[in-house]
Amino acid sequence: MSVQASGNLFVVAAPSGAGKSSLVKALMEVDHRIAPSVSHTTRAPRGQEKDGREYHFVDDATFDAMLAQDAFIEWANVHGKRYGTSRQAIDAVIATGHDVVLEIDYQGALQIQQKFPQCISIFILPPSWEELETRLRRRGEDQPEVIELRMANAREEIAQAHHFQFVIINEVFDRALFDMKSVVQAQRLRFEAQRRLRADTFASLGLA
Ligand code: 5GP
């Protein structure tokens, strides 16, 4: 099975603090036809994170071995740690018949766009630099120098937004969630997507 032959592939990127994870999580709570691909990372688990659920947590040697086996369809170094989407992780979602959502950084998103030109790319923006900084500070988990680093990274990341097909500005959460649902729904109504999903209906109507 391949991504090309099956459901929709959504790629969502954003600078940290834009609210990407919360939006994707909220989307999946209301939309049971879409599921995340579980990435591999060399960073340590945080809080309640569980191996195999949020991420597959691996050491550098394991990540290197997977790279050598060409196991990743994309990977990147983010904030000093490595993250990658394995072919197997995507196939596992496809096998369940779900649309796939990749919540990854922009470097990985650009690699996915190269490999799967039919993917649907979405970039989440904060409403302003001030609001982004406020949100990063509000998290309260990071030291001031970490926040500064994240702001510097955010400038680099936001400069890549023009590579994405859709842009959602996360000013009011519910509005941004509505926008996200709209993008997903619109994609499912495209001719090719409907032909895949409703093959019987198309055939009965004589639409090959
Ligand atoms: P965190 O460590 O906060 O969970 O994630 C840090 C960044 O890495 C986020 O922007 C997240 O979307 C990104 N990320 C998570 N998984 C992957 C992946 O498989 N590939 C890439 N390129 N980035 C990822």
Side-chain angles (χ1 to χ4, degrees):
M1 230 174 317
S2 77
V3 172
Q4 267 99 341
S6 59
N8 300 300
L9 174 63
F10 296 93
V11 184
V12 186
S16 84
K20 175 175 61 165
S21 307
S22 312
L23 273 173
V24 171
K25 191 163 165 260
L27 174 72
M28 287 187 304
E29 272 165 19
V30 293
D31 185 338
H32 301 287
R33 290 162 62 191
I34 192 163
S37 153
V38 180
S39 298
H40 284 71
T41 182
T42 58
R43 83 151 165 80
R46 289 194 293 247
Q48 302 299 308
E49 287 179 339
K50 234 177 93 187
D51 187 38
R53 190 176 61 189
E54 283 80 10
Y55 286 104
H56 299 288
F57 296 98
V58 294
D59 56 18
D60 275 308
T62 306
F63 203 95
D64 284 339
M66 290 182 71
L67 275 177
Q69 290 157 9
D70 198 23
F72 294 116
I73 56 169
E74 66 74 29
W75 74 276
N77 203 309
V78 187
H79 308 141
K81 297 290 173 185
R82 291 184 292 173
Y83 296 80
T85 305
S86 73
R87 235 171 277 280
Q88 206 249 325
I90 289 203
D91 287 347
V93 179
I94 292 171
T96 65
H98 287 77
D99 286 340
V100 186
V101 60
L102 303 184
E103 193 199 319
I104 60 181
D105 91 306
Y106 78 87
Q107 306 168 79
L110 298 183
Q111 295 170 46
I112 294 288
Q113 289 179 32
Q114 292 284 322
K115 286 198 180 148
F116 305 106
Q118 84 285 14
C119 77
I120 305 102
S121 57
I122 305 170
F123 200 89
I124 317 275
L125 284 175
S128 66
W129 292 116
E130 291 74 23
E131 177 61 20
L132 183 67
E133 193 165 346
T134 305
R135 288 181 192 171
L136 288 175
R137 288 191 193 288
R138 210 184 292 142
R139 284 186 182 176
E141 23 173 89
D142 295 317
Q143 303 299 314
E145 57 271 21
V146 174
I147 289 174
E148 260 168 48
L149 181 67
R150 295 210 167 203
M151 284 301 286
N153 288 339
R155 286 179 204 283
E156 201 179 305
E157 288 158 356
I158 285 176
Q160 305 297 323
H162 66 282
H163 291 298
F164 290 70
Q165 294 165 307
F166 294 95
V167 172
I168 294 176
I169 300 177
N170 185 12
E171 188 159 24
V172 177
F173 187 82
D174 287 347
R175 173 74 217 188
L177 179 58
F178 175 80
D179 290 347
M180 191 96 137
K181 285 193 254 180
S182 304
V183 170
V184 170
Q185 188 56 17
Q187 181 59 30
R188 288 179 179 151
L189 299 178
R190 293 176 85 104
F191 187 92
E192 284 307 327
Q194 286 280 54
R195 180 157 64 183
R196 267 195 323 259
L197 201 65
R198 301 292 300 269
D200 291 351
T201 307
F202 270 54
S204 73
L205 293 171
L207 285 166

